[in-house]
Each structure stands twice: as C-alpha cells, then as structure tokens.
Amino acid sequence: MNPVVLVVNSGSSSIKYQLLEPETGTVAASGLVERIGEDDGAVAHRAGDRTVEHRGPIADHKAGLRLVFDMFTETGQDLADVGVRAVGHRVVHGGEVFYEPTLITDDVVAAISALSTLAPLHNPANVTGIESTRELLPGVPQVAVFDTAFFHGLPEAAKTYAIDAELAAAHGIRKYGFHGTSHEYVAGQVARLLDRDPSHIDQIIFHLGNGASASAIRAGHPIDTTMGLTPLEGLVMGTRGGDLDPGILLHLMRTADLDVDGVDRLLNRDSGIKGLSGVNDFRELRRLIDADNASARLAYAVYIHRLRRYLGAYLIALGRVDAITFTAGVGENSPDVRADALADLELFDITVDPALNTAKSRAPRHISPPDARIPVLVVPTNEELAIARSALQVVDSAG
Ligand code: ADP
C-alpha cells in the first residue's frame, strides 16, 4: 500500500486539507473548514464522490480539526487506522531560520511562532493548526514546509532593500519571497514538459491566484521574485495592490487619519482588484468588464500593466529564457490574462496561439505556436502534492 500524508494549510479563519498519496498524487479526501470562530462556520469534506457537510459555530481550529477527523471516520477513513505516515503543514514564513522542510518539534513550533512579527496574519494561524494536529494525531510525525524556503538563496542584490543597513539587519528586513512551494513545483513540471534538465533551463513563472507572484529562475535557482518581506509586494492581486510608492502610506497616515491597523486593512484587504473595482474574483471582474464597467476595465488594465512590467524586468535579469509559464487560479483559467500579458511581443519571439490558449484542458500544456522559440506554458500548480512529497521525504530520511 502506498503511504498517505495529510496536508494541512491553516489560515486565520480557515483550514484547507488533503489526504493524499505522495507517490501517485491520488487524493483520498480533501476539504475546507471555513469561518472558524464565527457563528456560521462550515466544513465541506470530500472523500471519493461523497461530500459530507457541517454547518454551525466552530469555536477554534482544534474544534474544526476535530470535526474534520470525525468526517474522515464517517466516510470510512479513520485517520488513526489508515496509516498516515506524516502530516505536512504549509507554513508561510520561515524567516532566515527555516529554508528546508523541517520535522516539527516543540522548539520548531516556538521558532515558527517567534517569526510571527514577520507574518502576523499567517504564522500564528499556522502554529495553531500545527498544535491542534499534534494533539489530535499524537505519534504521527509532522513536517513544516515553508512558503519562503525556495527563495532563501536569492542573490544579495535582489534580496536587499536599499534602506539603512543596520536597521534592516536588526529587524530581519530582506526580500523573502512567497509561494515558493508552488514556484518550485511548477519549475520542475516545466522541465518535465520540455523534457529538459531543470538545471539547464531559465524560466519565468507567473503564479496568479488570489495572491500573485512572479519569479525568475536560472538553472533551477530563483534569482528574483516579486513578493518581498511580506506577501504585499509586486504584482496586483485580488485584495492587495502590490508595488506602491511607500510615500502614499505616509501621506495617508498624515492626511487621512489612518493608523497602523487602518494601513494594514487598506494594504491587505481593500486594495488590488477589489480596491479598484469592488470585486476580487476574476470571474466577477470579467462579468463587469463584459458589462462595460469602467472601474473593472481600469483594474484589469492595471493588473496587466504590472505583469508586463515584471515580465520585462525578468527577461532582462535572466538575459535569456527557455519558458514563460502561467499557473494558479487566474493563470490556469484565464486565457485573456495570458494573451494580454504577452500581447505584441513578437519582436522578442514571445507569442501565444489563440486556439491553444483558449482550448480547455487541465494538463500541463503549450499555448505558444508549435514552432515558437520561447515556449509559453500553462502548468497547473499542486502545492498540496509538493508539501506531501516533502513531508514524506523528511520522515523517510529521519528513519
Ligand atoms: P489562492 O490559492 O491564492 O486562494 P487560487 O490559485 O485558487 O487562489 O486562485 C483563486 C482565483 O482564481 C479566484 O479568485 C479567481 O479570481 C480565479 N479563478 C478561478 N477560476 C477561474 C476561472 N475559471 N476563470 C478566471 N479566473 C478564475
């Protein structure tokens, strides 16, 4: 029997999870706990073609996980009996401390918790998920997989912010980058699709989901990425605006009476596509654009403008490129975004084939014409699978 791994992605008020076989990618069960701490909590658990649901208050993460574990039992997959080899936890910020998948101990939990100053929205929620799972599944090894890890070795010039060097050093200020698990997984899939050795190709990846980031990868190692100290930098996202003149914040704090929490809300929740158009989902944005809504059109134009700015920057940073790849919710499902991001770049040998771009498929695929010098690809990401594989590897090598 192939080993199974439980992957847990614990957010501030939600938990996403999957039980899967790292060797085959087969998903035995998956689900989502939502609105933890609120009266209208919900769990939807899917095992095979069966879906079990729960509605009602969910006090905290542990209560949510307990419900999930009950649902596993209800669908005939009691987690105590199915032989879970490891639990893999997505952890957002590893700081300078963690840059490899790490077996979780009390010390590791304390260190992840201590990194909360760098990721106040994410690390505390990750820790809560880890602690609850450890209590509910004692004896099963747990592994933390860090969103920042892949970008740990960014070149000095790419990771350094040009501010007071002593202040930066004292507060751990550098570009860390995020979505690393996805960028690393997709980079590997690109190499497979092209039938090339990953250490021989240079590539640009656009991970466009609710959060969005791009990376420039030379010979398997990232040389730049758009997200920074926090996941706020870079591309325009669902509710985050990406790059801003930092002077805007000073100006708003002085003139619009915004305090730290107000700035936090503005940057994390009320900006990006949502801030400009009122909606944050690309399907809704498309509907508004089709209805000729001017704010939606502008939001889309700003989004595309920013993508192209980084495409240009990364083409120059790499000097050559073997593939340009789109992944995640928007990247995989929005042909318009792909076509517009790469429009009118024939001079650079970058073209998108309209028929291939709009063809429906879930498989990794080319969307550039067959004779294109620079392949343009769509490669579905699978962070859960990547986390499960890393977790299994850590547990296997720990004996
Ligand atoms: P995250 O993991 O960052 O929460 P995803 O990678 O799942 O996000 O991407 C979610 C986003 O993908 C949605 O908000 C939506 O904008 C976009 N999306 C999903 N499906 C489609 C689709 N069929 N067409 C266009 N956009 C889509």
Side-chain angles (χ1 to χ4, degrees):
M1 204 175 83
N2 286 321
V4 285
V5 170
L6 178 68
V7 173
V8 176
N9 181 353
S10 173
S12 55
S13 64
S14 70
I15 303 170
K16 271 196 240 171
Y17 62 90
Q18 260 188 27
L19 182 71
L20 73 163
E21 290 181 7
E23 283 164 13
T24 60
T26 305
V27 177
S30 63
L32 174 64
V33 185
E34 288 179 286
R35 294 184 295 280
I36 296 170
E38 291 173 41
D39 289 338
D40 58 343
V43 188
H45 177 82
R46 211 182 155 81
D49 47 18
R50 231 183 119 187
T51 301
V52 191
E53 294 193 7
H54 166 93
R55 288 190 183 277
I58 300 171
D60 52 26
H61 286 69
K62 194 166 166 196
L65 280 169
R66 204 172 265 136
L67 280 169
V68 168
F69 283 28
D70 289 346
M71 289 169 155
F72 270 108
T73 308
E74 199 180 326
T75 53
Q77 295 173 318
D78 191 332
L79 286 179
D81 294 337
V82 295
V84 179
R85 277 288 290 281
V87 181
H89 291 275
R90 174 179 184 229
V91 178
V92 167
H93 218 305
E96 291 278 21
V97 187
F98 298 109
Y99 44 90
E100 277 177 350
T102 304
L103 194 65
I104 294 175
T105 61
D106 291 347
D107 287 347
V108 170
V109 177
I112 294 171
S113 198
L115 289 166
S116 294
T117 47
L118 286 171
L121 296 180
H122 297 103
N123 275 34
N126 299 154
V127 167
T128 311
I130 291 171
E131 285 177 331
S132 308
T133 317
R134 287 179 91 200
E135 282 177 42
L136 292 167
L137 276 183
V140 178
Q142 319 239 345
V143 175
V145 179
F146 298 90
D147 229 26
T148 47
F150 184 53
F151 299 114
H152 177 74
L154 282 178
E156 292 285 326
K159 75 177 188 193
T160 304
Y161 289 104
I163 60 167
D164 181 294
E166 277 179 32
L167 189 70
H171 295 275
I173 291 175
R174 56 160 278 188
K175 182 186 274 288
Y176 289 96
F178 297 85
H179 294 146
T181 306
S182 175
H183 284 277
E184 186 174 18
Y185 172 83
V186 170
Q189 294 294 106
V190 167
R192 280 179 65 163
L193 183 62
L194 298 179
D195 198 17
R196 303 272 305 270
D197 182 331
S199 64
H200 291 165
I201 56 175
D202 299 336
Q203 45 178 319
I204 296 173
I205 295 173
F206 288 102
H207 172 112
L208 310 177
N210 260 323
S213 62
S215 64
I217 302 174
R218 175 179 289 145
H221 300 285
I223 61 160
D224 209 350
T225 189
T226 52
M227 285 179 166
L229 173 81
T230 74
L232 284 170
E233 192 180 347
L235 302 177
V236 176
M237 317 182 204
T239 63
R240 290 170 255 164
D243 295 339
L244 292 176
D245 172 0
I248 293 170
L249 304 180
L250 300 177
H251 180 68
L252 287 176
M253 288 171 86
R254 288 193 185 109
T255 58
D257 206 20
L258 278 188
D259 60 6
V260 174
D261 289 338
V263 170
D264 197 316
R265 202 172 324 111
L266 174 72
L267 295 180
N268 279 299
R269 292 204 231 138
D270 297 338
S271 297
I273 296 292
K274 166 105 179 289
L276 288 173
S277 73
V279 299
N280 71 316
D281 190 296
F282 256 76
R283 288 159 287 198
E284 288 176 50
L285 186 74
R286 173 51 50 199
R287 275 192 280 278
L288 289 179
I289 292 172
D290 291 345
D292 215 16
N293 178 298
S295 313
R297 245 188 293 125
L298 176 61
Y300 183 78
V302 174
Y303 184 91
I304 296 293
H305 181 82
R306 188 75 52 81
L307 285 182
R308 291 172 69 88
R309 183 189 286 172
Y310 275 107
L311 173 70
Y314 288 176
L315 284 171
I316 297 299
L318 288 168
R320 61 186 298 284
V321 68
D322 298 298
I324 297 169
T325 304
F326 292 89
T327 191
V330 178
E332 291 166 31
N333 294 301
S334 178
D336 304 354
V337 166
R338 299 190 295 253
D340 292 333
L342 304 185
D344 305 323
L345 297 178
E346 290 79 8
L347 260 182
F348 298 88
D349 286 332
I350 297 171
T351 44
V352 169
D353 180 285
L356 292 174
N357 187 33
T358 48
K360 292 251 179 286
S361 168
R362 300 251 118 241
R365 61 199 184 273
H366 289 252
I367 57 166
S368 46
D371 58 348
R373 203 180 61 76
I374 300 179
V376 180
L377 311 173
V378 177
V379 172
T381 192
N382 192 340
E383 288 163 286
E384 289 80 9
L385 179 59
I387 291 171
R389 285 182 176 160
S390 294
L392 186 64
Q393 221 166 31
V394 168
V395 168
D396 280 349
S397 60

